[in-house]
Amino acid sequence: MSEKDRPAETTLETIVEGHVTSDTVSPEDCLLESPPDPCTIVIIGASGDLTSRKLIPSVYNLFTNNGLPDPFLIVGCARSEISTDEFRVKLRSSAEESGHDMKRWSEFEPRLHYLPISYDSEGSYLELANFLRDLEKDVDTAGNRIFYLSLPMFLYKITAQLLGSAGLSAENVGGNGWSRIVVEKPYGSDRASAADLDRSIHENFNESQIFRIDHYLAKETVQNILMFRFANAIFEPIWNRNFIDHVDIIAAETLGVEKRAGYYEKEGVLRDMFQNHMMQLLALTAMEPPNDFESDAVHNEKVKVFGALQPFPTDNVYGNLVLGQYGHGTVGDTKVQSYREEEGVDATSLTPTFAMMRVFVDNMRWQGVPFYLTSGKRLGAKLTEIVIRFRETPHSMFRDILGDDISGNILTMGIQPEEHISLKFQTKSPGAKVCLRTVTMDFNYQQGYDGPTLAAYEKALLDCMNGDQMLFWRQDGIDLTWKFLEPVLEECEGCSDRDERLKTYDAGSWGPVEAAELKKLLTMTR
Ligand code: BG6
């Protein structure tokens, strides 16, 4: 034993438990790495909801937690002809409305600037380049810039191209430092459009400059999946087809389509949630341990999972998939209208707002283990979780007394709203008679931790400033997930009985009854 590992004194703990690692770092030490390089965040499409609801609050929180570089600037660009002062007033009132602590807002506000632009005008981007250079004369950000595209997808290509022709994508020349572009999903609407989009962004930005954001990846509990699986030696040996019966991945929302009908009508739940967030949750659950905890190594393992997805049986799509659309109903105490009655939605819309799909990963670890992916809007509760259902005991010595009904263990990784990990197992019920009861051992993520946390967009922005692409998509993953989903979409959208296949469910319920029936049938007949 080295001097370093030798216990300072003999205690009950060192005798009983030997070497135990304990928390040696304070919560504040874990919150942030060293501040990133000084930079300017340019939000293109800054008049949208995302800016006031997510981006500015995230940057402000980073600022109040001392997580931002010094100096930094934010430049909002959009079509509205407003001044920087008006932009600041607008953002201040939305921050106030959403209950932010405004104590340090007056220090933060001077860093916000605004420039009206026309998204498809070359002149606008030349003007932006001059605007940035002028601002950077007084505030030395070393010309480092993030261009955050908060725009409808059809504007991504032209924006990337015009940023390039205005000289804004070039790095370390003409007063530029590093230059990064952040694109939000959807990354295309099928395989070809995703590839086309990527090709055109690559005309001006190279791969290390492109950050394809998926906010699910930056959620604390989603990041924790890899820690949980690979920093604990006891789970890996049972994390496979020999011990696991099936896996449920659920992302349920109570929200409806809100004000996004224009986008959602075209996308539906398969493009909106499955091609991205659900696939990432699946990959994190199913992937092999990477050699290093490093961006490319992690991406390589995820891509192997996407590549191993068993092609969806297109001759029997609905034997493995249920699509639904919400009708009216009650969510919590509130009566809500049906999807077709929502503002901007076609009264005969066939866009699915719910899907349950059975997926297999064709490799040694997972052969024959079904993954049930379920996501929907206007369901009974907001709930995202991954549930690992273990096989039942191979031989029950209690069969004569208790029959066959001893359920397998269940491990749940709760992503939101409750961030927890729980394990269900059987124990003896107290008393003379032999009875079993299922009990739950529960770890709440905030347990024993009262320090500050980083919301998903805060972590994503910080990683982008640090140039770390681990929690972003890589294009080969996007390509493979489209390759898997495209035949399903073609089949569902092209079939003649599309309307019969779309099952209506009551808002506030847990989806169409057909989903529960299919799940039961599939789990029973395996
Ligand atoms: C977005 C989808 O990516 O994720 C939305 O476009 C969905 O439709 C949202 O509501 C869900 O995110 P979260 O973090 O609330 O689970």
Side-chain angles (χ1 to χ4, degrees), residues 325-327 337-343 345-351 499 502 504:
Q325 188 187 71
Y326 63 85
Q337 58 193 359
S338 68
Y339 178 70
R340 289 180 182 180
E341 291 163 325
E342 301 272 21
E343 191 186 324
V345 172
D346 188 311
T348 57
S349 171
L350 294 176
T351 300
D499 48 349
L502 187 69
T504 306

Side-chain angles (χ1 to χ4, degrees), residues 54-74:
K54 295 281 187 199
L55 300 180
I56 296 297
S58 299
V59 184
Y60 179 58
N61 283 347
L62 283 173
F63 174 72
T64 56
N65 278 318
N66 303 320
L68 284 186
D70 191 22
F72 79 92
L73 291 168
I74 296 180

Side-chain angles (χ1 to χ4, degrees), residues 53-54 184-186 214-216 219 251-253 255-258 260 263-264 267-269 271-273 276-277 375-377 382-384 415-416 456-457:
R53 220 166 33 83
K54 295 281 187 199
E184 281 272 348
K185 63 166 243 297
D214 182 324
H215 76 284
Y216 263 55
K219 288 181 192 276
E253 297 185 72
L255 288 182
V257 69
E258 309 303 297
R260 300 163 71 220
Y263 153 82
Y264 198 84
E267 305 295 316
V269 67
R271 289 190 178 85
D272 185 48
M273 292 293 289
N276 34 73
H277 311 322
S375 178
K377 290 198 179 290
K382 170 91 180 159
L383 180 78
T384 307
I415 309 291
Q416 58 185 13
Y457 272 94

